[in-house]
Amino acid sequence: MPYAPSRGARLHYEVTGRGRPVIFSHEFGADRRTWEQQVRFLGRQYRCITVDARGYPPSDVPEDPALYGYEDSADDIAAVLDAVGEPTAHVLGLSMGAYASLVFAIRHPGRATSLVLSGIGSGALETGREAFVAFTTQVAAVYRDEGSEAAAALLAQGPTRLQLADKDPRGWAETMRYLEAHSALGCALTMERFQLLRPGFRSMEPALRALGVPALILCGDEDEPCIEPSLYLKRTLPNAGLQMLPRSGHPLNLEEPAAFNQAVLDFLGMVERGQAHARGTDGRRRPG
């Protein structure tokens, strides 16, 4: 299995297809396997790179909590691109992976050809922050005290994930099997360090306003914790579009793979044709 060296951890990755590179960064309750429907679709035209985040075997599970910062996850994207010989790539992330993708674009200027940010921003604004901290702390404690199976049951029954169970029971069951097999230590440390300590969007606002990378923000209209943050990013990133998927929760790539895949394909094509124009470049595009 191929591994990319990064600070304090080796990262397992897979490469599928040929063409311009697209690198995928998964959410907390997932791993590289949950991108399968996207890889099969986009892999016909693109070089798809999927990664297991640090703390998610077969990537390493460091025992040092200091190795689970949000900066590490952003820099891990750069480390994998270096390992596969790609200076730049379209960067596609979901939830935790979307946050890492956004920070990657800020920390590594010029390396993100575009950004697809799906289900991003839970707890990243003042509204909902208290609930986010309480739930994050609870999940980390369950991982430490009861293990991955108990934590998987807690996560999978969340109000933004039951939509997947309703739409695709087999897909939901498969996701449960993945969750139950994750490293309890890796997930606890990811919750306690990355998720709980990452800064909110307002503290990042100057960097966000200066980030001219074309971005597509995807959000389910039943993913309540991410709706306001998605709107905030749409209004703050100078070259961002927002697409809402109706009657959808958090893991959009699993809930609505056809709509998700088509939205991404259309966006990547627009970027590569030079049609992703930043607002404010002329009077017609200046925000009101």
Side-chain angles (χ1 to χ4, degrees):
M1 291 189 290
Y3 288 88
S6 194
R7 188 180 86 94
R10 298 176 311 143
L11 307 167
H12 172 251
Y13 65 89
E14 291 184 348
V15 179
T16 304
R18 297 179 180 178
R20 295 178 186 243
V22 181
I23 188 166
F24 297 79
S25 185
H26 64 77
E27 64 152 325
F28 176 83
D31 54 46
R32 79 184 189 287
R33 295 172 293 181
T34 54
W35 292 118
E36 182 65 21
Q37 295 182 84
Q38 284 67 56
V39 171
R40 292 188 180 202
F41 181 79
L42 294 172
R44 303 180 184 200
Q45 301 182 43
Y46 291 91
R47 189 185 190 203
C48 295
I49 306 156
T50 54
V51 187
D52 289 299
R54 60 177 60 220
Y56 290 73
S59 290
D60 288 345
V61 182
E63 296 184 0
D64 183 356
L67 294 175
Y68 286 84
Y70 72 96
E71 304 100 324
D72 291 306
S73 295
D75 294 346
D76 287 347
I77 297 172
V80 174
L81 289 179
D82 291 342
V84 300
E86 296 287 1
T88 62
H90 298 289
V91 185
L92 196 159
L94 173 65
S95 192
M96 176 180 82
Y99 189 96
S101 299
L102 184 61
V103 176
F104 163 79
I106 295 170
R107 288 174 63 86
H108 300 271
R111 299 202 69 178
T113 306
S114 72
L115 295 170
V116 178
L117 309 172
S118 180
I120 189 170
S122 180
L125 293 178
E126 297 84 354
T127 304
R129 176 67 184 175
E130 185 176 346
F132 173 80
V133 169
F135 183 69
T136 299
T137 303
Q138 177 190 11
V139 171
V142 172
Y143 270 112
R144 286 194 176 278
D145 298 339
E146 302 177 48
S148 293
E149 289 192 18
L154 174 63
L155 285 168
Q157 295 293 333
T160 66
R161 294 182 181 274
L162 290 175
Q163 296 84 353
L164 177 60
D166 293 338
K167 294 175 180 178
D168 182 6
R170 288 172 64 90
W172 185 83
E174 181 179 67
T175 301
M176 279 291 294
R177 290 196 297 272
Y178 295 164
L179 275 169
E180 291 169 349
H182 287 163
S183 165
L185 174 63
C187 288
L189 289 171
T190 299
M191 271 292 185
E192 293 167 349
R193 304 293 297 185
F194 182 137
Q195 297 286 67
L196 194 57
L197 301 183
R198 57 181 169 85
F201 286 155
R202 297 197 193 279
S203 67
M204 302 163 60
E205 186 163 320
L208 295 174
R209 291 196 180 278
L211 188 64
V213 178
L216 172 65
I217 303 161
L218 293 169
C219 185
D221 67 351
E222 294 181 14
D223 190 4
E224 286 289 342
C226 294
I227 292 176
E228 289 301 325
S230 295
L231 289 168
Y232 173 85
L233 287 179
K234 162 62 185 171
R235 292 165 176 156
T236 306
L237 293 173
N239 196 358
L242 170 62
Q243 182 168 341
M244 302 289 290
L245 272 63
R247 298 181 180 274
S248 296
H250 194 58
L252 290 176
N253 65 312
L254 300 177
E255 269 191 52
E256 298 292 346
F260 185 96
N261 293 347
Q262 193 61 53
V264 172
L265 183 65
D266 291 346
F267 171 68
L268 298 187
M270 182 174 64
V271 171
E272 291 172 1
R273 292 190 302 270
Q275 295 175 329
H277 301 294
R279 290 173 294 158
T281 54
D282 60 46
R284 295 173 301 162
R285 297 192 182 94
R286 194 167 294 121

